[in-house]
Amino acid sequence: MEKPDQKDYDFSSQEGYDQYDAAVAKYERIQKGPMIGTGFVDTVEDVVQSAGEQISKIPGVSVGLQYFGGAVKTVDQVMSQDQGLGGMVYRTYKNVRSAAEEGFGDLAENLGVDPRIGSFAGGEFVDTLATAGLGSVAKKTAAVVDKLPPGGMSPQLAMAGGMTAPTQLAPQITKGGVVMKAVTTTDQPTLEAVRGGVKTGDKLVTPTQGKRLIRRDVEIDRLKGSIEQTNVQLDALLELQGDPNNLRLFLNDNPEVEKLMGMYEGRPDQIKKVANRLRERRIGAQESLSRQQSNILPFDETDPNFFRSKEGLVAKKQEEVRRSIEGYLEQHHLFPKGISAAFFGRMDDLISKGKADKDDLILMAEYAVAQGKRTGDVKSNLINMQKDPHNELHTMLRASGAELGKTDYVRSLKDVKDVNELMRRWRAMLDSDVAYNVDTAKVWEPLDDLIKEVRSTK
């Protein structure tokens, strides 16, 4: 089944939305394949709920913390001796997915997990274990990440039941037969623009940067799980609306949807209203996913997290008072998050396939900083705008083609096969659409105010 294309659906009616949602949900179910039981997730949650320092105290469980150059590469690899359902692997860092292609090919069988897991390749297997239960485990990992040491731990991975450990937990990226464990790109304009000149093979990850990337991966997994869960719920709700008995069973298993149904009890458009609420929830999760994908570099005192954070909202309120704004200001990302999320997401894909390294992702983000265009939710990438000018800005940018939807950028990058090609397109994008977006946004509201002032004097 091919992925549904929005162009094939008529969104002028509710029926069009319903048909598209049902098709997307069906497509994702087919792509995802069979999943393991939620009992496995409960076991992993039991392991991590009391944070990292408690994991080593659990009988029969070994914890491997793999560090390279003081940077976290693999965190919380947990394996038990139980050959039944208790056997498990838990990961919080996406490099495990790449490592899985080398060392975890036979892991499902060794752990005695449902044999249907064999339908997943090594990397998909690890992802499935980490995200089973639609990301509920990932939420609890943040506490573990915060308790990680700053680096320097030697790799120790005790394998249970006589299983052979993978010889290399970090993804092995080779160029000309040489194993690369850091920056892999050879794109000279990118390399020369960062840190006074970076060379292929340099390590850019620091302990602080390592923690940021781990937290980013955890949030991405959680949000992807939330989006997937909402798609499944939408699909089921629309399919079962004419089947009250099975709809009741579905609602019993999905209390959050049942709560929404209760809000519209007795209304003839109850299903339509709940479906729209689920769509709104999905849109919110998709926006948050783009933001998390864009937050590559660590936040710090000089450029803190400012988007809807306490510090950012206080500053916004002060600006509203200073400018005597009627109503409220909205935060606007100068560097469009749809663009940054699509490009960084493509780099994540290359990393997961062993064609790039996390250091390439860092290099990519630092190149943008060197060009004066940092991505993400930092203070330097945000300006406060009044609602109407803000909406008008986005309308104009989209009409001019300078700001497309995230899916358009994702689609345009599908043919990128290697890290060098992605770096070249990244540089070109920063010089064109991104530069136009940033420059236009900075003058848009003052220009709007000037136009209104001129009109008022006539």
Side-chain angles (χ1 to χ4, degrees):
M1 177 181 179
E2 294 185 358
K3 187 174 182 179
D5 192 329
Q6 293 181 355
K7 297 178 181 178
D8 298 330
Y9 295 83
D10 180 11
F11 293 106
S12 63
S13 66
Q14 184 65 40
E15 183 180 4
Y17 280 102
D18 295 344
Q19 290 175 348
Y20 177 74
D21 286 327
V24 170
K26 182 178 180 180
Y27 169 80
E28 292 182 347
R29 280 204 311 274
I30 293 174
Q31 295 298 310
K32 182 178 178 182
M35 292 293 289
I36 60 176
T38 56
F40 185 94
V41 184
D42 295 335
T43 306
V44 180
E45 287 184 345
D46 290 341
V47 173
V48 300
Q49 65 182 355
S50 56
E53 73 273 15
Q54 295 297 323
I55 297 179
S56 60
K57 299 178 183 179
I58 300 176
V61 174
S62 303
V63 181
L65 296 179
Q66 184 81 20
Y67 284 78
F68 294 93
V72 181
K73 298 298 286 187
T74 304
V75 183
D76 296 329
Q77 290 229 47
V78 182
M79 309 186 83
S80 105
Q81 295 182 11
D82 184 358
Q83 295 298 302
L85 191 59
M88 57 189 166
V89 174
Y90 175 73
R91 62 97 182 158
T92 61
Y93 200 59
K94 259 187 178 175
N95 275 348
V96 181
R97 180 186 173 100
S98 297
E101 296 176 0
E102 299 175 27
F104 289 106
D106 299 323
L107 195 52
E109 182 179 353
N110 290 339
L111 292 177
V113 177
D114 188 328
R116 291 174 299 172
I117 202 69
S119 64
F120 294 90
E124 290 297 330
F125 168 67
V126 176
D127 273 350
T128 300
L129 300 188
T131 59
L134 302 172
S136 59
V137 179
K139 297 178 183 179
K140 296 192 176 184
T141 314
V144 178
V145 173
D146 287 338
K147 294 180 180 296
L148 292 174
M153 290 189 67
S154 59
Q156 306 256 339
L157 182 60
M159 305 299 289
M163 290 184 287
T164 302
T167 57
Q168 178 70 44
L169 289 178
Q172 293 195 357
I173 305 169
T174 60
K175 288 185 179 294
V178 179
V179 176
M180 308 299 294
K181 297 181 181 178
V183 172
T184 70
T185 185
T186 57
D187 184 60
Q188 286 303 311
T190 305
L191 293 169
E192 292 170 0
V194 174
R195 302 190 186 187
V198 173
K199 296 180 180 179
T200 303
D202 283 354
K203 297 179 180 180
L204 303 185
V205 180
T206 64
T208 301
Q209 177 69 77
K211 284 190 176 184
R212 167 92 290 274
L213 292 181
I214 294 171
R215 183 174 288 277
R216 172 181 179 267
D217 287 340
V218 168
E219 285 300 302
I220 288 174
D221 284 342
R222 180 182 67 81
L223 289 164
K224 285 183 176 180
S226 175
I227 294 168
E228 183 178 358
Q229 182 183 45
T230 302
N231 286 334
V232 171
Q233 290 172 339
L234 259 173
D235 181 41
L237 182 67
L238 297 173
E239 286 186 4
L240 298 175
Q241 57 183 318
D243 185 353
N245 292 333
N246 283 319
L247 179 59
R248 180 69 264 162
L249 293 175
F250 163 71
L251 294 177
N252 289 342
D253 291 336
N254 293 269
E256 65 275 22
V257 181
E258 184 176 30
K259 183 178 180 180
L260 289 175
M261 292 286 284
M263 293 172 59
Y264 301 100
E265 187 72 39
R267 294 186 54 160
D269 59 350
Q270 181 187 35
I271 296 293
K272 177 182 177 180
K273 288 291 187 181
V274 173
N276 286 337
R277 289 292 297 274
L278 289 175
R279 292 187 185 99
E280 291 170 1
R281 181 179 298 175
R282 181 177 59 191
I283 291 172
Q286 289 170 334
E287 179 190 2
S288 295
L289 174 61
S290 293
R291 290 176 38 237
Q292 292 300 331
Q293 288 174 317
S294 302
N295 288 327
I296 305 295
L297 303 178
F299 302 112
D300 56 36
E301 293 181 357
T302 61
D303 210 1
N305 183 356
F306 231 56
F307 187 75
R308 297 175 185 167
S309 66
K310 181 178 180 180
E311 186 177 1
L313 293 176
V314 168
K316 185 169 76 72
K317 183 63 177 177
Q318 292 173 342
E319 184 174 345
E320 290 167 351
V321 173
R322 185 175 65 254
R323 294 172 55 185
S324 301
I325 298 296
E326 295 182 5
Y328 59 90
L329 294 171
E330 296 179 341
Q331 292 178 309
H332 171 76
H333 289 84
L334 294 170
F335 195 126
K337 54 184 178 290
I339 297 179
S340 53
F343 273 84
F344 291 144
R346 186 57 182 151
M347 181 64 81
D348 288 334
D349 292 339
L350 294 177
I351 292 170
S352 72
K353 296 174 182 177
K355 296 181 179 181
D357 191 86
K358 288 288 186 181
D359 294 87
D360 293 306
L361 183 65
I362 298 169
L363 179 69
M364 202 174 178
E366 291 195 9
Y367 177 83
V369 174
Q371 304 304 307
K373 303 177 182 70
R374 180 166 174 175
T375 66
D377 293 337
V378 289
K379 181 179 181 180
S380 63
N381 190 40
L382 295 170
I383 59 172
N384 297 319
M385 300 181 67
Q386 296 183 75
K387 183 177 181 178
D388 288 345
H390 189 194
N391 291 338
E392 292 165 1
L393 172 63
H394 282 291
T395 299
M396 185 279 297
L397 290 171
R398 289 164 185 159
S400 67
E403 183 186 61
L404 304 177
K406 178 184 175 182
T407 54
D408 295 310
Y409 293 111
V410 171
R411 190 180 300 114
S412 72
L413 295 172
K414 280 189 174 181
D415 64 335
V416 172
K417 303 300 182 183
D418 59 67
V419 64
N420 286 336
E421 176 62 22
L422 185 59
M423 290 296 189
R424 286 192 290 270
R425 294 199 193 184
W426 179 241
R427 290 189 287 105
M429 180 60 70
L430 263 64
D431 289 341
S432 55
D433 286 0
V434 173
Y436 183 77
N437 270 267
V438 172
D439 293 342
T440 302
K442 289 180 178 178
V443 301
W444 186 260
E445 192 167 34
L447 181 61
D448 183 73
D449 290 340
L450 178 60
I451 292 174
K452 289 178 180 177
E453 183 179 348
V454 171
R455 287 176 177 172
S456 66
T457 59
K458 290 184 178 180

